[in-house]
Amino acid sequence: MPLGEDWGDKEILWGRGFAFEELLGSSTRILSQESTMSALRHATRMGFAALLFAVPAASQAVVINEILYDNAGADDREFVELYNASKSPVDISAWELRLWDQRNATTYKRKYTIPANTKIAAGGFYVMGTSKVAGVNQVLGAGNLFENSQEGLVLYNPKGKRRVDSLCYETYRISATATWHKSIINGDGIWGAHMSSNTSPTSLSRVLDGYNSKSGQDWVLRPETPGKTNNLSSGAVLFDTFDKGTPEAVHKGWAGSFIPPVYIDPTKTSKHNPQVIPASPQGGKCLVIYDSYDNGGNAGVLLQRPQRDLVVECYVYIEASNATQTGDLEMWSIGVQGSTTTFFDYPDPERSFGYKRNGNTGVSATYVNSSKGSALYLIDHNDGGSDWTVLGKIVVSKGKNDGWQRLRLEVNGNSAGLWLGGKMGSGAGEVVGGRIARPTLGDIYAGSRESFKKLGANRPLTIDDLRVRPSVGAVGYYGSASATTVGVVDAFVATPPVLGSKGFGVTARRLAAKSPALLILGAGRSNLPIATMAKGTSLYTSPVFIIGARSDAKGEAHFPFPLPSNSSYANFLVNWQVFALDSKLSAPMPMAASQGIETRLSN
């Protein structure tokens, strides 16, 4: 019996003489979207707080905590900072800092040895560097202590004959045939290039003192703090209209790689505002991230404590008509859960320009404007490197979605979403989303880079009315999925569950190709084993609403479910589960099912 065919007074959702309603119970109803939400009005409201900090993964006693390996000019401010994350002093006498690079593939090329009778107090720091470094504990030389290009650093304990910690930087330079780094690199290492300006000194720091998930994503661009904590104390919520600042003055709440972010009056040309643009919908002054000295790359970092699940909203000015000549190019990013490096080399989302040096990590909204066209991308950079994933693309057209636009970037658990247009605090507007590989702590960052043949034609990254807050929506997974003949059913939400979002929905993978599938929307969790289906199948929610779909040739099914914009539904819990038919299964009812998904709706 085909999908959707009537059987008496019931709707048959798929055939083989089996009514899905009989399995789920006679109380199952096919409801309208508004009726479904009304049925959830009395659902339990979940009161869990958003996760702001994570416990440092694989915490160890002593780590390399901060590094400055290249500063402008004489390289005379270089240093490495060690940190003792344990609750007891650690004797580091005779430990070695070994330096590796690909010009010597059999052993390290040189080392610095820590003197006898040296201990790091619990929660303390030990700084090795030049004499110009504030608070230096061990002077290693006058300058040029480390390579300015790719290198590996290994903290080694010769007594225990063990590697204590290690990192590799500028790993984009490492030859594909090199092997020296394989035993000491963590993830993709620190991919991009860093250089500390003498007027805006920065370093590469662990996102929290001692935070060590053994990934390049642990490292962020921050103001240098040798011998002092990396931790930032400012709150998790921020509302900044930028109207209290003086045009052309540096914003003290941000750090910058070469030129820190600066206030501008958008209606007047100035050093940091190359052409007049209208005031934003909020009005008043704006913020630009821009290297006005040579129009090269520049990065900015919001000096706010790192977060994992969060919402970043702002107005951003999008120029879609200025790249008129062949070779004209500008790119900018606004990112979360990560960082970028000082030069902000071009991100190149679709790998169409041949750039590979960008140091973005985490998740970003990245804009590309060239003579070939303009688009805004949602990118999962994970821990950096060349293996980024484009989760979605919004084409930008002159007169349609350019000029001042609301931008919303939200990450919650493994779900990320990007909205363009619509009102602040809503899910309205164009939206793309997807699942990220590695949610973690990180900073809010921005970067821009441009190259225009006509002087002054560029539009620096310009934002207004910045709003940062924890993501109060939530996405959780529970129970165990069962398997089709293709593999274990994998279902996930397309974006964070924001009310008013037209792009919300559920995607399922590893289904039998071109076969029926069902999405169940339910209220509350349950756990009802179904012995007549594939081994390990359970019903994980009490059904309220059921949607049918058919998988494509790749075995994927998509269930769009636009969420209503009614803010009274905020904090409602909604549960989801996918069931999929696979005629090759030997079970009496040849179906398999996903885990349960629990979402908490938010504005």
Side-chain angles (χ1 to χ4, degrees):
M1 196 173 289
L3 186 71
E5 184 169 327
D6 287 337
W7 184 17
D9 60 352
K10 295 182 178 181
E11 183 178 16
I12 305 304
L13 298 177
W14 64 270
R16 295 177 65 92
F18 164 64
F20 201 82
E21 286 184 329
E22 290 186 342
L23 169 68
L24 301 180
S26 59
S27 62
T28 300
R29 293 180 293 162
I30 310 301
L31 302 176
S32 69
Q33 183 172 319
E34 287 301 315
S35 297
T36 298
M37 292 303 175
S38 295
L40 297 175
R41 184 174 298 279
H42 301 293
T44 302
R45 292 173 181 258
M46 180 177 283
F48 55 82
L51 178 63
L52 301 181
F53 285 92
V55 176
S59 180
Q60 62 193 58
V62 178
V63 297
I64 299 171
N65 202 52
E66 184 177 355
I67 179 172
L68 195 167
Y69 64 85
D70 183 15
N71 67 273
D75 285 336
D76 56 358
R77 293 190 291 106
E78 298 179 344
F79 69 89
V80 164
E81 174 192 86
L82 308 182
Y83 173 71
N84 179 8
S86 74
K87 296 181 180 180
S88 302
V90 175
D91 189 339
I92 58 172
S93 301
W95 285 20
E96 299 168 352
L97 187 64
R98 297 179 172 182
L99 313 184
W100 294 68
D101 74 12
Q102 66 187 67
R103 289 188 293 274
N104 190 336
T106 58
T107 185
Y108 56 91
K109 64 177 182 180
R110 57 175 165 164
K111 66 180 180 181
Y112 299 113
T113 302
I114 297 173
N117 302 315
T118 302
K119 294 183 179 181
I120 307 181
F125 304 91
Y126 185 81
V127 179
M128 310 166 69
T130 71
S131 59
K132 288 190 175 182
V133 176
V136 65
N137 299 104
Q138 180 180 350
V139 175
L140 303 179
N144 293 305
L145 306 179
F146 311 106
E147 288 288 343
N148 289 348
S149 57
Q150 79 284 341
E151 188 163 56
L153 273 63
V154 175
L155 182 62
Y156 185 77
N157 180 359
K159 294 179 181 178
K161 295 183 179 181
R162 66 182 181 90
R163 174 167 56 93
V164 179
D165 195 17
S166 63
L167 68 85
C168 296
Y169 58 78
E170 296 200 18
T171 53
Y172 77 90
R173 297 178 183 269
I174 296 176
S175 166
T177 60
T179 59
W180 64 270
H181 61 289
K182 293 186 181 299
S183 64
I184 62 175
I185 195 170
N186 293 315
D188 284 311
I190 300 172
W191 184 261
H194 174 263
M195 185 180 74
S196 177
S197 164
N198 292 327
T199 56
S200 180
T202 56
S203 66
L204 296 174
S205 305
R206 289 192 183 271
V207 66
L208 295 173
D209 290 332
Y211 187 89
N212 187 15
S213 67
K214 299 188 181 301
S215 162
Q217 206 165 345
D218 297 341
W219 296 88
V220 294
L221 179 70
R222 293 267 184 86
E224 62 178 59
T225 57
K228 299 179 181 179
T229 182
N230 296 346
N231 299 346
L232 298 173
S233 59
S234 57
V237 177
L238 173 71
F239 292 90
D240 194 344
T241 63
F242 307 120
D243 288 340
K244 294 182 179 180
T246 301
E248 299 301 301
V250 169
H251 193 304
K252 299 298 184 182
W254 289 71
S257 55
F258 296 108
I259 297 178
V262 169
Y263 298 100
I264 64 163
D265 179 345
T267 65
K268 298 178 181 179
T269 57
S270 63
K271 180 179 180 180
H272 294 93
N273 187 33
Q275 72 274 148
V276 169
I277 59 173
S280 79
Q282 186 273 330
K285 292 181 277 293
C286 304
L287 192 76
V288 294
I289 294 87
Y290 176 45
D291 183 356
S292 58
Y293 178 73
D294 63 1
N295 295 339
N298 198 44
V301 179
L302 182 63
L303 300 179
Q304 181 171 318
R305 70 187 188 191
Q307 299 186 60
R308 173 173 161 163
D309 296 339
L310 75 164
V311 180
V312 175
E313 283 188 287
C314 64
Y315 290 114
V316 61
Y317 193 84
I318 298 180
E319 179 62 76
S321 60
N322 59 338
T324 58
Q325 300 186 52
T326 301
D328 284 354
L329 179 64
E330 66 178 348
M331 298 188 195
W332 53 253
S333 295
I334 298 173
V336 298
Q337 288 196 359
S339 192
T340 190
T341 44
T342 50
F343 294 98
F344 189 74
D345 292 290
Y346 290 120
D348 200 4
E350 296 192 60
R351 299 173 172 85
S352 55
F353 296 94
Y355 296 110
K356 299 179 180 180
R357 294 173 45 173
N358 177 258
N360 286 4
T361 59
V363 181
S364 81
T366 291
Y367 181 61
V368 177
N369 179 28
S370 75
S371 56
K372 299 177 182 179
S374 306
L376 184 66
Y377 299 83
L378 177 63
I379 305 176
D380 178 13
H381 301 277
N382 55 78
D383 68 342
S386 58
D387 56 347
W388 66 84
T389 301
V390 173
L391 302 177
K393 175 182 178 180
I394 299 173
V395 175
V396 175
S397 303
K398 183 179 180 180
K400 177 187 175 185
N401 54 359
D402 63 342
W404 282 109
Q405 297 286 334
R406 188 280 300 249
L407 182 148
R408 175 177 178 141
L409 177 61
E410 181 169 1
V411 179
N412 191 299
N414 288 87
S415 299
L418 171 63
W419 288 259
L420 184 66
K423 295 181 179 180
M424 289 282 193
S426 77
E430 297 177 88
V431 58
V432 292
R435 183 167 56 175
I436 63 175
R438 195 177 183 277
T440 188
L441 280 181
D443 285 348
I444 297 168
Y445 65 91
S448 67
R449 191 178 187 93
E450 60 280 318
S451 175
F452 281 79
K453 293 182 178 180
K454 182 180 178 181
L455 186 64
N458 59 301
R459 176 69 249 162
L461 172 55
T462 307
I463 64 174
D464 196 12
D465 198 8
L466 176 64
R467 307 180 185 189
V468 179
R469 57 182 171 84
S471 174
V472 295
V475 180
Y477 297 84
Y478 60 97
S480 301
S482 56
T484 66
T485 55
V486 178
V488 176
V489 177
D490 177 27
F492 57 94
V493 297
T495 67
V498 180
L499 290 166
S501 176
K502 296 180 180 179
F504 184 80
V506 176
T507 295
R509 296 174 176 170
R510 304 192 194 112
L511 313 183
K514 299 182 179 180
S515 297
L518 307 172
L519 173 66
I520 297 176
L521 180 155
R525 297 188 182 192
S526 65
N527 187 355
L528 176 64
I530 306 175
T532 53
M533 292 189 179
K535 182 179 179 181
T537 300
S538 291
L539 176 64
Y540 286 120
T541 187
S542 299
V544 176
F545 188 90
I546 301 173
I547 303 171
R550 185 174 292 273
S551 62
D552 60 20
K554 296 180 180 179
E556 296 186 3
H558 305 280
F559 301 89
F561 198 94
L563 295 176
S565 57
N566 190 336
S567 61
S568 66
Y569 298 140
N571 293 320
F572 281 2
L573 291 181
V574 184
N575 297 71
W576 315 81
Q577 189 179 12
V578 173
F579 281 75
L581 173 67
D582 183 348
S583 60
K584 295 181 181 179
L585 287 170
S586 59
M589 296 179 182
M591 298 189 80
S594 70
Q595 290 179 289
I597 306 172
E598 188 167 69
T599 56
R600 179 186 180 192
L601 306 183
S602 70
N603 289 313

